[in-house]
């Protein structure tokens, strides 16, 4: 069985096929293998929206445990942090080769990251399908 990353939380909203869950970061982050890339260990609370499992009933205020495989957690961290950082660096280096102004390279790098996050936002439905959450 593959290692799972899990967090406890409380259901804050139920809408259609989605559950809004307030994740409470706890001591489980200390032993997590992807804690350095996840960002949850620095946060006290984080709101996530996950698909509601079929055949299970939930109510607002109910405590739950949300988990995914460590591999999927690593993929999520790569989408959120690694890819945009690489894109910014490559953009800054490329623009620096063609421009003498450092501020132009900096603006181009930040713009590239902004466009990347906007594209992620546009394709959030397709990206969401690639992740499987388990809500208990």
């Amino acid at each position: 069985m593959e290692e799972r990353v899990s967090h406890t939380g409380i259901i804050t909203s139920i809408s259609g096929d989605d559950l809004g869950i307030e994740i409470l970061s706890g001591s489980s982050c200390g032993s997590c293998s992807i804690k350095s890339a996840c960002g949850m260990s620095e946060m006290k609370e984080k709101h996530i929206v996950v698909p509601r499992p079929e055949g299970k009933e939930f109510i607002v205020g109910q405590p739950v445990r949300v988990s995914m495989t460590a591999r999927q957690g690593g993929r999520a961290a790569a989408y959120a942090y690694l890819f945009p950082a690489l894109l910014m660096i490559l953009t800054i280096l490329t623009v620096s080769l063609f421009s003498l102004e450092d501020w132009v390279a900096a603006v181009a790098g930040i713009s590239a990251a902004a466009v990347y996050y906007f594209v992620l936002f546009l394709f959030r439905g397709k990206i969401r399908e690639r992740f499987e959450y388990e809500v208990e």
Side-chain angles (χ1 to χ4, degrees):
M1 183 172 182
E2 194 170 354
E3 182 183 352
R4 297 192 71 82
V5 177
S6 64
H7 294 281
T8 57
I10 297 173
I11 296 176
T12 57
S13 65
I14 301 172
S15 61
D17 295 332
D18 295 330
L19 296 174
I21 301 174
E22 192 76 30
I23 297 293
L24 308 173
S25 182
S27 60
S28 62
C29 291
S31 62
C32 180
S33 61
I34 63 165
K35 68 181 175 188
S36 62
C38 175
M40 288 297 293
S41 60
E42 292 89 28
M43 301 182 111
K44 293 184 175 151
E45 294 181 356
K46 177 156 178 89
H47 185 78
I48 62 169
V49 178
V50 299
R52 184 159 80 179
E54 293 182 27
K56 292 185 179 179
E57 292 296 322
F58 297 96
I59 58 171
V60 173
Q62 177 180 353
V64 292
R65 178 171 291 280
V66 181
S67 65
M68 67 172 27
T69 64
R71 182 178 179 155
Q72 289 178 338
R75 184 185 310 146
Y79 284 158
Y81 304 112
L82 180 64
F83 298 152
L86 291 175
L87 179 64
M88 277 181 59
I89 292 168
L90 290 174
T91 302
I92 290 170
L93 290 175
T94 303
V95 172
S96 293
L97 291 174
F98 299 106
S99 174
L100 298 175
E101 301 290 331
D102 288 341
W103 69 269
V104 174
V107 169
I110 292 170
S111 298
V115 169
Y116 171 82
Y117 283 118
F118 182 69
V119 170
L120 272 186
F121 176 76
L122 292 177
F123 290 99
R124 67 188 178 277
K126 291 209 181 272
I127 294 170
R128 185 178 182 190
E129 293 172 1
R130 299 190 69 192
F131 294 94
E132 294 179 23
Y133 297 93
E134 186 175 313
V135 181
E136 305 168 352

